[in-house]
Amino acid sequence: MTVETIPPGPAGLAEVGGDQRPARARRRRTSSRAVLSQVLLTAVLVLFLMPFVWMIASALKPPAEVFGGGAGLIGSEVRWSNFAEVWSYLPFGRFMLNGLFVAVSGTVVVCVTSVLSAYAFARLRFRGRDRLFLVYLGTLMVPQEVTVVPMFILMQQFGWVDSYAALILPWAFTAFGTFLLRQFFLSIPSELEEAATIDGAGRLRILLQVVLPIAKPAVAVLAAFTFINYWNSFLWPLIVVNGRETATVPLGLNLFLSQNGNQWHLLMAASAISMLPTVVMVVLLQRHLVRGIALSGLGGR
């Protein structure tokens, strides 16, 4: 019996591992694609960040240099006083408090109503449930511009014009939140609820102690979207609010543009300040948001 030995050197390596050139070519193509994707992502990131960079730069410029000819990204002086002047030029603090109250209250109401309705559509069995859910979803196709006139007439009849109730309640019952949470509830194994039922838990206790702890990521996504929608809403507050007492931040920003002159430097500073609540909320909910966006609506049965 003879034992063949593999000759040392490149020839022997070629016999053991085969031709290495295709593998090297694949690695080069993979690295080239990775570099290209990073370049494209960086370009898109810079493109999206440019408006924010311009906003901050304009907020720190003297008034005459915001749109002045030949002015660069950085003005002749850095005026941090523009951010302080925002609070005295208009009652911007009042606008911020109004916006926070409306956004937080609206978010709480939307989350509560969406959780209850979503659980009913996901777990309760009653005649016409699926048809009713389709009709409920159909309201998402109706644009807000179509409903503002009858909604304003309804607010007049209730005596809610120029009030917080008119800013919060008309949009507190949304089909989007119901759909989002229903899809997540359907992904939760029903065996957990059956076990809780055997232990004597009722529907409300099952929802609060079994379903909601699992659904925290989906609720966090809904809370983030709802807060941002209330915070950035402009059309409806413009119609239903008459004075500054209940004006929200978008209406307050619009007041920096007036017949007496457009205060662009203050408008940019106020816009930068108005971004802080949403940024803080996203940072606090980041862990839940990442998981909720990955899971919400993907496991419906």
Side-chain angles (χ1 to χ4, degrees), residues 57-79:
S58 300
L60 296 174
K61 288 181 179 181
E65 296 182 9
V66 175
F67 292 109
L73 189 62
I74 301 176
S76 59
E77 60 175 315
V78 178
R79 297 188 56 175

mmCIF file of all heavy atoms in Angstrom, residues 57-79:
data_model
loop_
_atom_site.group_PDB
_atom_site.id
_atom_site.type_symbol
_atom_site.label_atom_id
_atom_site.label_comp_id
_atom_site.label_asym_id
_atom_site.label_seq_id
_atom_site.Cartn_x
_atom_site.Cartn_y
_atom_site.Cartn_z
ATOM 1 N N ALA A 57 -27.542 77.115 11.354
ATOM 2 C CA ALA A 57 -26.653 78.200 10.945
ATOM 3 C C ALA A 57 -27.414 79.514 10.803
ATOM 4 O O ALA A 57 -26.924 80.579 11.214
ATOM 5 C CB ALA A 57 -25.960 77.839 9.632
ATOM 6 N N SER A 58 -28.617 79.469 10.233
ATOM 7 C CA SER A 58 -29.420 80.685 10.077
ATOM 8 C C SER A 58 -29.896 81.215 11.421
ATOM 9 O O SER A 58 -30.046 82.426 11.595
ATOM 10 C CB SER A 58 -30.628 80.412 9.177
ATOM 11 O OG SER A 58 -30.212 79.982 7.891
ATOM 12 N N ALA A 59 -30.148 80.304 12.369
ATOM 13 C CA ALA A 59 -30.586 80.739 13.694
ATOM 14 C C ALA A 59 -29.498 81.491 14.441
ATOM 15 O O ALA A 59 -29.806 82.246 15.370
ATOM 16 C CB ALA A 59 -31.036 79.533 14.520
ATOM 17 N N LEU A 60 -28.246 81.322 14.042
ATOM 18 C CA LEU A 60 -27.126 81.978 14.726
ATOM 19 C C LEU A 60 -26.607 83.195 13.971
ATOM 20 O O LEU A 60 -25.594 83.770 14.372
ATOM 21 C CB LEU A 60 -25.981 80.965 14.913
ATOM 22 C CG LEU A 60 -26.300 79.770 15.814
ATOM 23 C CD1 LEU A 60 -25.154 78.773 15.799
ATOM 24 C CD2 LEU A 60 -26.600 80.219 17.240
ATOM 25 N N LYS A 61 -27.270 83.583 12.889
ATOM 26 C CA LYS A 61 -26.813 84.719 12.096
ATOM 27 C C LYS A 61 -27.521 86.005 12.507
ATOM 28 O O LYS A 61 -28.626 85.975 13.070
ATOM 29 C CB LYS A 61 -27.088 84.462 10.607
ATOM 30 C CG LYS A 61 -26.207 83.415 9.965
ATOM 31 C CD LYS A 61 -26.571 83.274 8.490
ATOM 32 C CE LYS A 61 -25.698 82.259 7.794
ATOM 33 N NZ LYS A 61 -26.039 82.126 6.354
ATOM 34 N N PRO A 62 -26.927 87.156 12.201
ATOM 35 C CA PRO A 62 -27.660 88.421 12.322
ATOM 36 C C PRO A 62 -28.820 88.460 11.327
ATOM 37 O O PRO A 62 -28.790 87.766 10.304
ATOM 38 C CB PRO A 62 -26.596 89.480 11.988
ATOM 39 C CG PRO A 62 -25.296 88.800 12.219
ATOM 40 C CD PRO A 62 -25.510 87.356 11.880
ATOM 41 N N PRO A 63 -29.861 89.228 11.588
ATOM 42 C CA PRO A 63 -31.048 89.222 10.720
ATOM 43 C C PRO A 63 -30.739 89.519 9.259
ATOM 44 O O PRO A 63 -31.328 88.899 8.360
ATOM 45 C CB PRO A 63 -31.942 90.311 11.332
ATOM 46 C CG PRO A 63 -31.488 90.420 12.741
ATOM 47 C CD PRO A 63 -30.037 90.111 12.748
ATOM 48 N N ALA A 64 -29.848 90.455 8.988
ATOM 49 C CA ALA A 64 -29.595 90.867 7.604
ATOM 50 C C ALA A 64 -28.816 89.833 6.810
ATOM 51 O O ALA A 64 -28.743 89.937 5.584
ATOM 52 C CB ALA A 64 -28.842 92.196 7.585
ATOM 53 N N GLU A 65 -28.238 88.844 7.460
ATOM 54 C CA GLU A 65 -27.369 87.900 6.765
ATOM 55 C C GLU A 65 -28.007 86.547 6.499
ATOM 56 O O GLU A 65 -27.365 85.666 5.939
ATOM 57 C CB GLU A 65 -26.081 87.697 7.573
ATOM 58 C CG GLU A 65 -25.245 88.957 7.709
ATOM 59 C CD GLU A 65 -23.957 88.696 8.468
ATOM 60 O OE1 GLU A 65 -23.653 87.511 8.734
ATOM 61 O OE2 GLU A 65 -23.261 89.674 8.818
ATOM 62 N N VAL A 66 -29.275 86.370 6.909
ATOM 63 C CA VAL A 66 -29.922 85.075 6.680
ATOM 64 C C VAL A 66 -30.078 84.820 5.197
ATOM 65 O O VAL A 66 -29.737 83.747 4.679
ATOM 66 C CB VAL A 66 -31.288 85.024 7.391
ATOM 67 C CG1 VAL A 66 -32.016 83.725 7.061
ATOM 68 C CG2 VAL A 66 -31.109 85.153 8.892
ATOM 69 N N PHE A 67 -30.597 85.815 4.464
ATOM 70 C CA PHE A 67 -30.728 85.703 3.021
ATOM 71 C C PHE A 67 -29.877 86.750 2.313
ATOM 72 O O PHE A 67 -30.140 87.096 1.166
ATOM 73 C CB PHE A 67 -32.192 85.873 2.598
ATOM 74 C CG PHE A 67 -33.073 84.734 3.047
ATOM 75 C CD1 PHE A 67 -34.011 84.916 4.049
ATOM 76 C CD2 PHE A 67 -32.957 83.484 2.471
ATOM 77 C CE1 PHE A 67 -34.818 83.878 4.469
ATOM 78 C CE2 PHE A 67 -33.762 82.433 2.887
ATOM 79 C CZ PHE A 67 -34.699 82.637 3.888
ATOM 80 N N GLY A 68 -28.868 87.283 2.994
ATOM 81 C CA GLY A 68 -28.022 88.301 2.395
ATOM 82 C C GLY A 68 -27.181 87.749 1.265
ATOM 83 O O GLY A 68 -26.757 86.590 1.272
ATOM 84 N N GLY A 69 -26.956 88.559 0.268
ATOM 85 C CA GLY A 69 -26.154 88.143 -0.872
ATOM 86 C C GLY A 69 -24.725 87.846 -0.461
ATOM 87 O O GLY A 69 -24.090 88.621 0.241
ATOM 88 N N GLY A 70 -24.215 86.720 -0.908
ATOM 89 C CA GLY A 70 -22.833 86.339 -0.631
ATOM 90 C C GLY A 70 -22.588 85.831 0.769
ATOM 91 O O GLY A 70 -21.450 85.579 1.142
ATOM 92 N N ALA A 71 -23.638 85.697 1.575
ATOM 93 C CA ALA A 71 -23.461 85.207 2.936
ATOM 94 C C ALA A 71 -23.190 83.716 2.915
ATOM 95 O O ALA A 71 -23.841 82.964 2.199
ATOM 96 C CB ALA A 71 -24.705 85.505 3.778
ATOM 97 N N GLY A 72 -22.221 83.264 3.700
ATOM 98 C CA GLY A 72 -21.892 81.856 3.772
ATOM 99 C C GLY A 72 -22.722 81.140 4.811
ATOM 100 O O GLY A 72 -23.706 81.667 5.344
ATOM 101 N N LEU A 73 -22.308 79.910 5.106
ATOM 102 C CA LEU A 73 -23.040 79.124 6.078
ATOM 103 C C LEU A 73 -22.925 79.736 7.475
ATOM 104 O O LEU A 73 -23.856 79.684 8.267
ATOM 105 C CB LEU A 73 -22.521 77.687 6.083
ATOM 106 C CG LEU A 73 -23.322 76.667 6.889
ATOM 107 C CD1 LEU A 73 -24.724 76.524 6.330
ATOM 108 C CD2 LEU A 73 -22.616 75.314 6.899
ATOM 109 N N ILE A 74 -21.791 80.327 7.776
ATOM 110 C CA ILE A 74 -21.564 80.979 9.060
ATOM 111 C C ILE A 74 -21.547 82.478 8.845
ATOM 112 O O ILE A 74 -20.867 82.982 7.951
ATOM 113 C CB ILE A 74 -20.241 80.502 9.690
ATOM 114 C CG1 ILE A 74 -20.275 78.983 9.904
ATOM 115 C CG2 ILE A 74 -19.981 81.220 11.010
ATOM 116 C CD1 ILE A 74 -18.990 78.418 10.439
ATOM 117 N N GLY A 75 -22.303 83.202 9.644
ATOM 118 C CA GLY A 75 -22.389 84.650 9.494
ATOM 119 C C GLY A 75 -21.173 85.363 10.041
ATOM 120 O O GLY A 75 -20.197 84.751 10.506
ATOM 121 N N SER A 76 -21.246 86.663 10.000
ATOM 122 C CA SER A 76 -20.133 87.471 10.494
ATOM 123 C C SER A 76 -19.954 87.343 12.004
ATOM 124 O O SER A 76 -18.870 87.590 12.524
ATOM 125 C CB SER A 76 -20.349 88.940 10.122
ATOM 126 O OG SER A 76 -21.579 89.413 10.681
ATOM 127 N N GLU A 77 -21.011 86.974 12.700
ATOM 128 C CA GLU A 77 -20.937 86.730 14.147
ATOM 129 C C GLU A 77 -21.924 85.636 14.516
ATOM 130 O O GLU A 77 -22.927 85.410 13.830
ATOM 131 C CB GLU A 77 -21.254 88.012 14.928
ATOM 132 C CG GLU A 77 -22.648 88.575 14.665
ATOM 133 C CD GLU A 77 -22.952 89.765 15.545
ATOM 134 O OE1 GLU A 77 -22.660 89.669 16.755
ATOM 135 O OE2 GLU A 77 -23.477 90.773 15.029
ATOM 136 N N VAL A 78 -21.629 84.946 15.590
ATOM 137 C CA VAL A 78 -22.498 83.890 16.099
ATOM 138 C C VAL A 78 -23.370 84.485 17.197
ATOM 139 O O VAL A 78 -22.866 84.854 18.265
ATOM 140 C CB VAL A 78 -21.676 82.701 16.632
ATOM 141 C CG1 VAL A 78 -22.605 81.635 17.208
ATOM 142 C CG2 VAL A 78 -20.808 82.110 15.533
ATOM 143 N N ARG A 79 -24.661 84.589 16.928
ATOM 144 C CA ARG A 79 -25.582 85.262 17.845
ATOM 145 C C ARG A 79 -26.437 84.236 18.586
ATOM 146 O O ARG A 79 -27.528 83.856 18.142
ATOM 147 C CB ARG A 79 -26.472 86.244 17.080
ATOM 148 C CG ARG A 79 -25.697 87.377 16.415
ATOM 149 C CD ARG A 79 -26.615 88.438 15.838
ATOM 150 N NE ARG A 79 -27.519 88.983 16.827
ATOM 151 C CZ ARG A 79 -28.359 89.999 16.594
ATOM 152 N NH1 ARG A 79 -28.370 90.583 15.390
ATOM 153 N NH2 ARG A 79 -29.157 90.436 17.537
#
